[in-house]
Amino acid sequence: MTATLTQPAPPARKGWITDWRPDDEAFWQSTGRKVARRNLIWSVLAEHLGFSVWTMFSIITPFLAAAGYDFTTSQLFWLTAVPNLVGAFLRIPYTAAVALFGGRNWTIISAALLVLPTALLAYCVMTPGTPYWLFVVSGVLAGFGGGNFASSMANISYFYPERHRGAALGINAAGGNIGVSAVQFIGPLVIGLGIFGASQGTTPAGRDFFLHNVPLLWLVLGVFAAIMAWRAMDNLAVARTPLREQVPALARRHTWIMSVLYIGTFGSFIGYSFAFPLVIRIEFPEFQSLWIAALGPLVGSLVRPIGGWFADRLAGAPITSGAFILMGVGAMGAIWGINSGSFALFFTSFMLLFAMSGIANGSTYRSIPAIFQAEAAAAAGGKASETEVVKAKKITAAALGWISAIGAFGGFLINQGFRIANEQTGSVVPAMWAFVAAYGVFLIINWWCYQRTVLVEKAPSLAYAKV
């Protein structure tokens, strides 16, 4: 694209940017890069806090019995599963919301919505005798945090040129995913601080704990994120897309294939993130340092950009296949650790599961924009026009939301697998075997759709098969 001689600066931050040309190098260097970086920073914060609130129950549920709530293990698994399920469904309207209201506007709203689940959960744990159904309502509201990922990714995808989009989306996704490990690491620390309010109970070690500290801390942070989004972010006119222009993404074959694969990648990451502390408590009740569960989501988040980096330079499909194989190995190692009573083997195997899910998240999600861009170029005979590129970006943004929603639903299935296995056998081992079989199915789908020689020969432009 030819650079123009004069590059108009974007209007005031609180307005809409109507002239946005990130693929114009002169525009990008003069104004685009600075604006994009600023929006990325605050988008990461809002998404990060959304993930923390979404998975907050993962660190609250292990303490509820000691707090005097006589909930069954099955009910506790439901408390971790409900936010997962609601968040998965909300990712679809959250993606559309960016196109309808603007990225800045929706970030303000989505961050402010985090006040609802945090305030209600604080009330629940501070009020003795709170009924189970009210905890469930709090879990439903916590699902708001799960939708933030889809809207954030859809918004940021418009800010960056193609050559930088993979890195930007990787940073945005990783920064959000780390919100899981943040709440699981910081949560147990603040639970032990008697800042204000009465203690909800004592740990087996005889220490008082204060569960309300967790939701109240993230309530304050959610308000801060909403204020900063209002002050520092921008809306892009190019992202405004009527619903009728988003629907065609559902007719694309690759939207559905990548959705299924994302169940195995992101579904594994978020499902294990929700359930890991509770699984540790069930299988190794003598182990009290639940903060260590935060290392799993942290590892999975940090390696996610690496998966995208490999997809940029090698190919997405082989990276994903290798990750699925190692995830199967990790699941079998966790089974061996449980059966042998070895926490070290169990924990190490779960770290492998988290790491490979993160790698596969990066390789699949980075490839989605490339696939639709490549299809647009192929349809245009090798070189897509600017109008066709913009259309492909809008289709990509809609597809990203749908794919992320279905992938998040995989986390609900993992939680339900753990719940059913524990109810029927008193152990999560049968569920782990089911996950091993599922990784085999995902491996076959990935190979069949993207790695077979005949497909690469017929469609070498599809970046997921061959970058």
Side-chain angles (χ1 to χ4, degrees):
M1 184 181 296
T2 304
T4 57
L5 295 178
T6 60
Q7 306 302 326
R13 291 180 180 179
K14 294 182 182 180
W16 287 80
I17 297 179
T18 57
D19 179 22
W20 189 252
R21 292 167 282 115
D23 291 302
D24 182 326
E25 185 62 22
F27 176 86
W28 177 251
Q29 293 296 334
S30 62
T31 57
R33 181 169 56 184
K34 180 181 178 180
V35 173
R37 185 185 299 117
R38 169 163 45 79
N39 279 269
L40 176 61
I41 290 172
W42 297 111
S43 175
V44 167
L45 174 65
E47 185 194 347
H48 174 93
L49 298 177
F51 264 94
S52 293
V53 172
W54 192 26
T55 56
M56 191 169 290
F57 271 94
S58 68
I59 206 62
I60 294 293
T61 52
F63 288 91
L64 289 180
Y69 295 98
D70 190 22
F71 300 152
T72 66
T73 301
S74 177
Q75 288 177 312
L76 295 179
F77 268 121
W78 271 111
L79 286 180
T80 61
V82 166
N84 196 159
L85 180 63
V86 175
F89 282 114
L90 285 181
R91 287 186 166 198
I92 298 173
Y94 266 56
T95 301
V98 171
L100 295 175
F101 302 109
R104 166 186 172 270
N105 294 346
W106 187 250
T107 303
I108 296 170
I109 295 171
S110 62
L113 284 174
L114 300 180
V115 170
L116 299 180
T118 51
L120 181 55
L121 182 56
Y123 170 82
C124 288
V125 298
M126 294 177 72
T127 307
T130 301
Y132 179 73
W133 68 266
L134 200 55
F135 277 96
V136 173
V137 173
S138 179
V140 170
L141 295 177
F144 286 145
N148 283 16
F149 175 84
S151 57
S152 179
M153 295 293 278
N155 182 41
I156 292 303
S157 68
Y158 286 103
F159 275 95
Y160 282 83
E162 175 62 28
R163 65 187 182 281
H164 295 310
R165 190 174 298 126
L169 290 177
I171 292 171
N172 195 54
N177 290 173
I178 290 176
V180 181
S181 56
V183 75
Q184 291 181 350
F185 180 75
I186 298 174
L189 298 179
V190 300
I191 282 173
L193 301 177
I195 301 175
F196 58 87
S199 167
Q200 279 85 44
T202 57
T203 66
R207 297 177 180 174
D208 290 342
F209 60 82
F210 307 81
L211 291 178
H212 58 272
N213 289 345
V214 177
L216 290 180
L217 172 60
W218 269 270
L219 185 156
V220 173
L221 293 174
V223 172
F224 172 73
I227 293 173
M228 294 311 301
W230 171 71
R231 289 177 56 86
M233 292 187 70
D234 303 289
N235 297 306
L236 292 182
V238 70
R240 295 295 297 271
T241 308
L243 287 176
R244 65 178 181 274
E245 294 183 21
Q246 301 181 51
V247 171
L250 301 181
R252 300 297 182 92
R253 170 174 173 261
H254 293 289
T255 299
W256 295 98
I257 296 173
M258 298 302 286
S259 294
V260 172
L261 294 179
Y262 210 55
I263 290 176
T265 60
F266 181 77
S268 293
F269 171 81
I270 199 64
Y272 293 141
S273 296
F274 271 105
F276 196 31
L278 196 53
V279 170
I280 292 176
R281 180 58 57 88
I282 291 171
E283 298 294 349
F284 298 91
E286 71 283 357
F287 193 83
Q288 297 299 320
S289 301
L290 287 183
W291 63 266
I292 200 172
L295 295 179
L298 179 62
V299 168
S301 301
L302 292 178
V303 301
R304 180 167 182 154
I306 298 176
W309 184 86
F310 277 122
D312 278 340
R313 287 155 180 76
L314 302 175
I319 301 301
T320 305
S321 289
F324 279 138
I325 292 171
L326 291 177
M327 288 166 74
V329 172
M332 288 188 287
I335 293 170
W336 188 8
I338 292 172
N339 290 337
S340 64
S342 172
F343 181 80
L345 177 58
F346 165 83
F347 184 78
T348 301
S349 298
F350 255 94
M351 291 304 100
L352 178 61
L353 276 169
F354 276 110
M356 290 302 103
S357 69
I359 291 289
N361 281 341
S363 63
T364 53
Y365 219 72
R366 168 61 187 100
S367 300
I368 295 167
I371 287 175
F372 288 111
Q373 293 274 61
E375 281 195 324
K383 179 66 174 179
S385 67
E386 183 175 349
T387 300
E388 291 166 332
V389 169
V390 171
K391 182 179 179 180
K393 288 182 178 181
K394 292 183 176 182
I395 291 292
T396 297
L400 287 174
W402 187 258
I403 292 167
S404 69
I406 295 180
F409 183 73
F412 172 78
L413 297 178
I414 283 182
N415 273 272
Q416 290 304 291
F418 282 139
R419 180 186 64 82
I420 295 171
N422 186 70
E423 283 182 351
Q424 299 297 321
T425 68
S427 173
V428 301
V429 167
M432 297 300 298
W433 279 120
F435 302 153
V436 172
Y439 294 137
V441 173
F442 293 131
L443 177 64
I444 293 171
I445 293 174
N446 186 59
W447 175 84
W448 182 267
C449 295
Y450 295 111
Q451 281 189 271
R452 290 183 303 156
T453 303
V454 63
L455 178 63
V456 176
E457 290 175 349
K458 289 183 177 180
S461 62
L462 290 181
Y464 188 65
K466 185 176 182 180
V467 178

